[in-house]
Amino acid sequence: DIQMTQSPSTLSASVGDRVTITCRASQSISSWLAWYQQKPGKAPKVLIYKASSLESGVPSRFSGSGSGTEFTLTISSLQPDDFATYYCQQYNTYPYSFGQGTKLEIK
Amino acid sequence: EVQLLESGGGFVQPGGSLRLSCAASGFTFSNYGMTWVRQAPGKGLEWVSTISASGGSTFFADSVRGRFTISRDNSKNTLYLQMNSLRAEDTAVYFCARDLTGPTAYFGFSGQGTLVTVSS
């Protein structure tokens, strides 16, 4: 099974900051990686698919990069609505797996 | 507008059973694989099970294989998760999701999920 590891687990930042979250896979997953945003009490929302493709309707301040085993999600200029928990998910093979999450907090 | 409405959660004792439903609307249900993802209280997301668009292929996490069954009724635009031999560690909010690609997928969520609590 493929293990997904995110870092950091918690990130404190301010509005306007540029932030980067990293996701590492235990084996190569090519570019079959998605990023989700989740707010308390809500369902996750997909932001990025195939490592770097922006889902329709998602603001362009979100971007993804990477391939193989190392991936990043970058938010270029944090907005108040961006404070949430972020998850990566590999869909290269079954069983699908998620990272443990990165909680983005207001500094 | 795509809508996924989960229902059927509740309180059940260990060893008990529960059937979750997910009513879909706003898209051609029979064209999409569907998935269940769960989230234990205060924890991260865990993939549970996926069923193909036709229902002919199913996939399960090791943690639920042999205890959970996924099915769908394309005539009713509804996805199901039959959960048997429930354990305390199955306590979670269960979300249904639409597979946005194939044959392997990332997911589109819509509903609020349904809470399953397994406790004596």
Side-chain angles (χ1 to χ4, degrees):
Chain A
D1 296 359
I2 298 174
Q3 311 302 319
M4 306 300 293
T5 304
Q6 287 180 233
S7 60
S9 295
T10 306
L11 180 57
S12 296
S14 301
V15 172
D17 284 354
R18 178 185 179 92
V19 299
T20 297
I21 299 168
T22 297
C23 178
R24 290 186 173 88
S26 60
Q27 64 190 74
S28 178
I29 58 170
S30 185
S31 296
W32 304 115
L33 184 102
W35 288 98
Y36 300 85
Q37 176 194 69
Q38 188 182 32
K39 297 181 179 178
K42 302 293 186 182
K45 171 188 172 183
V46 63
L47 303 173
I48 302 286
Y49 65 96
K50 208 173 179 183
S52 61
S53 297
L54 193 68
E55 182 73 4
S56 177
V58 174
S60 59
R61 62 181 180 273
F62 292 92
S63 64
S65 65
S67 66
T69 62
E70 187 150 340
F71 303 86
T72 59
L73 172 71
T74 298
I75 309 173
S76 61
S77 178
L78 274 174
Q79 300 302 301
D81 190 50
D82 300 338
F83 292 96
T85 300
Y86 293 83
Y87 296 92
C88 60
Q89 178 232 334
Q90 69 83 15
Y91 55 105
N92 182 68
T93 56
Y94 288 101
Y96 297 145
S97 46
F98 290 89
Q100 81 278 16
T102 295
K103 186 175 183 180
L104 181 52
E105 299 180 329
I106 301 174
K107 184 184 286 185
Chain B
E1 180 191 4
V2 171
Q3 292 196 347
L4 300 169
L5 183 60
E6 303 94 341
S7 62
F11 188 95
V12 61
Q13 292 187 333
S17 297
L18 215 52
R19 188 177 84 155
L20 306 184
S21 298
C22 171
S25 60
F27 64 101
T28 305
F29 182 72
S30 59
N31 286 352
Y32 289 86
M34 297 294 293
T35 288
W36 289 97
V37 170
R38 68 184 181 184
Q39 187 168 37
K43 303 298 184 182
L45 301 170
E46 180 188 13
W47 171 75
V48 173
S49 182
T50 292
I51 187 168
S52 64
S54 67
S57 297
T58 58
F59 306 88
F60 296 92
D62 287 345
S63 58
V64 306
R65 186 177 292 111
R67 300 187 298 122
F68 289 13
T69 303
I70 190 171
S71 62
R72 64 191 296 158
D73 186 335
N74 285 346
S75 68
K76 295 182 178 179
N77 292 346
T78 303
L79 172 72
Y80 302 101
L81 186 68
Q82 177 67 45
M83 305 185 295
N84 298 331
S85 303
L86 282 161
R87 306 167 180 168
E89 54 265 35
D90 296 318
T91 295
V93 174
Y94 285 73
F95 297 99
C96 71
R98 182 172 62 139
D99 290 3
L100 296 181
T101 55
T104 57
Y106 68 100
F107 312 125
F109 297 86
S110 173
Q112 299 297 305
T114 187
L115 176 62
V116 172
T117 303
V118 184
S119 176
S120 55

